[in-house]
C-alpha cells in the first residue's frame, strides 16, 4: 500500500530526459538562427517556447522532490541537476532574445562554428542523461561526458581565434560588443553543459 502512495522514482529520470530534450532543441534552434538571420524571429520564438516548457519541467521536478520521501539519489544532486539544466536553456533564450534589436545581417563563421559545438555538447549531454537510469550505462555516460570535455576544448580554441579576428578587424564598436557578447554567452552554454556532465559523473561515482 505504501509503495503505491509514494511517487514513482523513475519520474525524476523522465523529467530529466524531457529537460535534456528541450535543451538540445533550443541549442539546435539557436544554431539555425545564426544561419538564417533573415528569419530570426521564427527561431527566437521557438527557443522561447522551449524555455517556457523547460521551466514547467523544472517546476514539476522541484514539486516532485518536495513530496517524495525516497529519491533515486541524493536530494541535493537532484536539485542541482534540475537547476543547472534549466539555467542552460534560460541562457540560450537570453542570447536569442537579444537578436531582434541587434539587427545583425551576418555573423563570423567562428560564431556559427561555436553554435555547432554548443549543439554537439547539448547532444552528448542529452545522451548522458538518458544513461542515468541504470548504472549498467555508466561507461556510456562517462564517454559522453568525456566528449563534452573535448567539445569544450575545441570551443575554447574557436573563441580565441574568433575574438582575435574581432579585435583586429572589427571597426564598429557596437558590432564589436554585440559579437563579443554572443561569443561569451555561447561559450558559457558549453561550459554549463560541462558542469552538468560533472554532476552526472559525481552521481554515478557515488552510487556505483
Amino acid at each position: 500500500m505504501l509503495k503505491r502512495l509514494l511517487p514513482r522514482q523513475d519520474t525524476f529520470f523522465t523529467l530529466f530526459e524531457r529537460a535534456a530534450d528541450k535543451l538540445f532543441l533550443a541549442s539546435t534552434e539557436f544554431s539555425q538562427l545564426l544561419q538564417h538571420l533573415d528569419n530570426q524571429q521564427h527561431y527566437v520564438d521557438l527557443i522561447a517556447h522551449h524555455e517556457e516548457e523547460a521551466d514547467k519541467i523544472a517546476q514539476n521536478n522541484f514539486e516532485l522532490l518536495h513530496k517524495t520521501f525516497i529519491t533515486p539519489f541524493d536530494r541535493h544532486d537532484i536539485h542541482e541537476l534540475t537547476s543547472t539544466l534549466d539555467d542552460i536553456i534560460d541562457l540560450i533564450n537570453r542570447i536569442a532574445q537579444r537578436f531582434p534589436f541587434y539587427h545583425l545581417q551576418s555573423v563570423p563563421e567562428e560564431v556559427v562554428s561555436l553554435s555547432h559545438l554548443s549543439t554537439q555538447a547539448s547532444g552528448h549531454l542529452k545522451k548522458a542523461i538518458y544513461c542515468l537510469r541504470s548504472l549498467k550505462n555508466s561507461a556510456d555516460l562517462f564517454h559522453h561526458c568525456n566528449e563534452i570535455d573535448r567539445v569544450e576544448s575545441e570551443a575554447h580554441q574557436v573563441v580565441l581565434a574568433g575574438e582575435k579576428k574581432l579585435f583586429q578587424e572589427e571597426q564598429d564598436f557596437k558590432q564589436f560588443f554585440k559579437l563579443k557578447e554572443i561569443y561569451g554567452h555561447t561559450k558559457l552554454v558549453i561550459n554549463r553543459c560541462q558542469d552538468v556532465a560533472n554532476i552526472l559523473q559525481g552521481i554515478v561515482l557515488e552510487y556505483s
Side-chain angles (χ1 to χ4, degrees):
M1 172 66 74
L2 180 60
K3 187 175 181 180
R4 290 206 306 270
L5 293 175
L6 290 172
R8 288 172 58 86
Q9 290 189 13
D10 61 358
T11 304
F12 285 108
F13 297 110
T14 299
L15 290 170
F16 288 141
E17 290 164 2
R18 287 176 56 197
D21 290 341
K22 290 298 177 183
L23 170 57
F24 180 69
L25 287 171
S27 182
T28 301
E29 301 295 1
F30 180 67
S31 184
Q32 289 296 308
L33 185 159
L34 293 175
Q35 297 172 77
H36 300 90
L37 291 173
D38 57 336
N39 193 28
Q40 59 183 256
Q41 191 61 53
H42 169 71
Y43 296 102
V44 170
D45 292 342
L46 286 175
I47 292 167
H49 175 72
H50 294 318
E51 191 271 338
E52 290 175 5
E53 293 296 310
D55 280 347
K56 294 176 184 177
I57 293 167
Q59 185 60 40
N60 288 339
N61 225 344
F62 290 135
E63 290 175 358
L64 180 63
L65 182 61
H66 177 70
K67 62 186 180 183
T68 301
F69 181 68
I70 300 174
T71 57
F73 47 88
D74 187 81
R75 303 177 73 87
H76 172 76
D77 290 332
I78 291 174
H79 190 281
E80 188 175 20
L81 184 54
T82 302
S83 298
T84 311
L85 274 171
D86 191 48
D87 287 345
I88 302 172
I89 305 175
D90 287 343
L91 179 58
I92 296 172
N93 186 51
R94 285 200 300 273
I95 308 169
Q97 292 297 321
R98 286 168 165 76
F99 274 79
F101 56 83
Y102 272 178
H103 303 296
L104 293 171
Q105 302 301 314
S106 64
V107 294
E109 61 182 32
E110 289 85 0
V111 172
V112 176
S113 296
L114 192 62
S115 73
H116 290 326
L117 291 171
S118 173
T119 302
Q120 285 184 39
S122 63
H124 284 296
L125 186 57
K126 172 183 172 179
K127 291 175 182 177
I129 287 173
Y130 269 78
C131 291
L132 192 60
R133 283 181 181 264
S134 173
L135 290 175
K136 295 178 181 179
N137 302 323
S138 59
D140 289 335
L141 184 148
F142 278 104
H143 166 73
H144 291 299
C145 291
N146 288 337
E147 283 298 296
I148 293 171
D149 288 339
R150 178 192 60 78
V151 169
E152 191 281 330
S153 295
E154 187 176 344
H156 181 69
Q157 296 304 315
V158 170
V159 171
L160 287 178
E163 290 187 342
K164 178 180 179 181
K165 184 185 294 185
L166 198 60
F167 274 101
Q168 292 176 340
E169 299 179 4
E170 184 56 61
Q171 302 298 316
D172 185 320
F173 281 113
K174 286 186 178 180
Q175 187 82 344
F176 174 87
F177 285 113
K178 291 173 188 177
L179 294 172
K180 184 77 165 58
E181 186 176 45
I182 294 170
Y183 274 119
H185 280 71
T186 308
K187 177 60 165 59
L188 189 57
V189 168
I190 299 172
N191 290 347
R192 291 293 175 264
C193 286
Q194 195 174 37
D195 291 342
V196 175
N198 290 336
I199 295 170
L200 296 176
Q201 291 177 98
I203 292 169
V204 171
L205 288 172
E206 183 175 354
Y207 290 93
S208 60

